């Protein structure tokens, strides 16, 4: 069978090593290349080298056209499984109010969680360019609030009348907690532990007080009994 020059696989007589490893559903075996070619001819298929760097090279007994079809089908399926990454835009004005900011922050979180990149920018109209520092502060706050969901690819930079910030998604399942959140969780854990310690201490003191009171009452009763016996 003629070899496809556009493909990287050696076939039949193009395989010129001394021996090869034949793999199949039943296992594998190392045989001389001449014997492997004879096996392929007897089965009416081709000897296809699928792993040339192995020692010895790994081959399969298969129809070469069918093999190429399987390879293309597998590549197509893998491509279909890949998530297409898009760049989503979030637009701000230099004087964005809190409600609008939180609304856009929510959308940015969703975009990053879906695996998309986010390009946030502040658009300056006319003389509002005088407030570019305010726009930079807004974008830096935006990046900080999204720290758990995305990482900064490019810090705020002014391009014409727009200041851009680029964020890319973090890997799913490994989003890093922000320092503020970690500090808050630590304080909550410490407060809970302190509360439980105080409660346990109060319980212990209460129990000790009861035992002490019982012991004191018993001692008083014993003293009165002894005094009564002495009088008698």
């Amino acid at each position: 069978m003629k070899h496809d020059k556009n493909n990287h696989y050696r076939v039949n007589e193009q395989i010129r090593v001394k021996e090869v490893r034949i793999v199949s559903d039943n296992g594998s075996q190392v045989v001389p290349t001449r014997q492997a070619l004879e096996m392929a001819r007897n089965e009416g298929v081709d000897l296809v080298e699928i792993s040339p760097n192995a020692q010895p090279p790994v081959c399969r007994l298969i129809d070469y056209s069918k093999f190429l079809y399987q390879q293309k089908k597998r590549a197509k399926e893998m491509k279909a499984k890949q998530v297409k990454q898009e760049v989503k835009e979030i637009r701000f004005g230099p004087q964005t109010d809190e409600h609008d900011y939180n609304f856009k922050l929510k959308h940015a979180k969703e975009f990053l969680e879906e695996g998309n990149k986010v390009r946030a920018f502040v658009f300056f109209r006319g003389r509002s360019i005088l407030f570019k520092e305010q726009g930079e502060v807004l974008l830096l706050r935006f990046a900080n609030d999204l720290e758990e969901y995305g990482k900064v690819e490019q810090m705020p930079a002014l391009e014409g009348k727009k200041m851009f910030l680029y964020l890319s998604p973090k890997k799913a399942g490994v989003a890093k907690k922000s320092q503020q959140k970690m500090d808050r969780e630590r304080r909550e854990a410490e407060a809970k532990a302190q509360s439980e310690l105080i409660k346990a201490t109060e319980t212990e003191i209460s129990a000790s007080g009861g035992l002490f009171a019982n012991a004191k009452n018993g001692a008083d009763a014993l003293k009165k009994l002894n005094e009564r016996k002495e009088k008698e």
Side-chain angles (χ1 to χ4, degrees):
M1 182 175 185
K2 291 184 178 180
H3 178 57
D4 185 356
K5 293 183 179 180
N6 295 324
N7 210 287
H8 302 292
Y9 299 100
R10 284 194 286 262
V11 184
N12 296 331
E13 284 76 11
Q14 294 172 342
I15 305 171
R16 296 172 183 171
V17 294
K18 185 178 180 181
E19 59 183 14
V20 296
R21 180 181 296 276
I22 304 295
V23 295
S24 66
D25 295 338
N26 299 323
S28 68
Q29 58 178 322
V30 176
V31 298
T33 304
R34 183 172 296 181
Q35 181 181 340
L37 287 169
E38 187 176 346
M39 292 167 62
R41 282 193 292 267
N42 291 337
E43 294 185 22
V45 294
D46 300 295
L47 180 66
V48 183
E49 186 184 60
I50 60 175
S51 182
N53 297 324
Q55 295 297 328
V58 178
C59 298
R60 286 190 64 187
L61 299 178
I62 189 172
D63 181 271
Y64 186 52
S65 299
K66 182 180 179 180
F67 174 76
L68 290 181
Y69 171 77
Q70 289 176 347
Q71 293 297 101
K72 290 178 181 178
K73 183 180 179 181
R74 189 176 294 112
K76 187 176 180 180
E77 289 173 351
M78 290 179 64
K79 186 176 180 180
K81 290 179 180 179
Q82 291 178 348
V83 178
K84 186 178 180 181
Q85 190 178 60
E86 299 179 3
V87 178
K88 302 290 187 177
E89 283 195 344
I90 301 289
R91 173 174 171 168
F92 293 101
Q95 311 253 342
T96 300
D97 61 41
E98 193 67 17
H99 175 76
D100 191 32
Y101 174 85
N102 289 327
F103 178 77
K104 292 177 178 179
L105 180 67
K106 178 184 176 182
H107 279 288
K109 289 178 180 178
E110 293 173 354
F111 293 150
L112 291 169
E113 286 179 331
E114 291 170 358
N116 298 306
K117 292 187 176 183
V118 170
R119 177 171 61 191
F121 68 92
V122 179
F123 180 67
F124 300 96
R125 292 178 181 273
R127 298 189 56 168
S128 66
I129 193 70
L130 298 174
F131 301 100
K132 61 181 180 180
E133 290 81 7
Q134 188 172 337
E136 183 177 8
V137 170
L138 185 149
L139 290 177
L140 289 174
R141 175 192 174 190
F142 193 64
N144 184 67
D145 289 343
L146 292 170
E147 186 179 4
E148 293 183 37
Y149 304 89
K151 57 184 177 181
V152 177
E153 280 192 350
Q154 178 184 310
M155 295 296 285
L158 187 64
E159 298 177 20
K161 293 184 178 181
K162 296 179 181 179
M163 181 175 287
F164 290 95
L165 168 75
Y166 290 86
L167 298 166
S168 60
K170 288 186 175 180
K171 291 182 179 180
V174 294
K176 185 179 179 182
K177 294 181 181 179
S178 66
Q179 188 62 45
Q180 290 180 344
K181 186 170 183 178
M182 287 191 292
D183 291 342
R184 184 176 68 251
E185 290 179 350
R186 188 186 69 251
R187 289 195 298 269
E188 290 174 352
E190 290 175 351
K192 183 178 179 181
Q194 186 176 4
S195 176
E196 291 177 351
L197 178 61
I198 292 173
K199 185 177 180 181
T201 303
E202 289 175 346
T203 302
E204 184 177 349
I205 290 173
S206 176
S208 299
L211 291 172
F212 177 76
N214 291 336
K216 186 175 183 298
N217 292 335
D220 290 343
L222 182 60
K223 183 179 179 181
K224 290 180 180 179
L225 181 61
N226 291 332
E227 288 178 350
R228 187 179 300 171
K229 286 182 178 180
E230 290 177 357
K231 288 180 180 180
E232 292 175 352

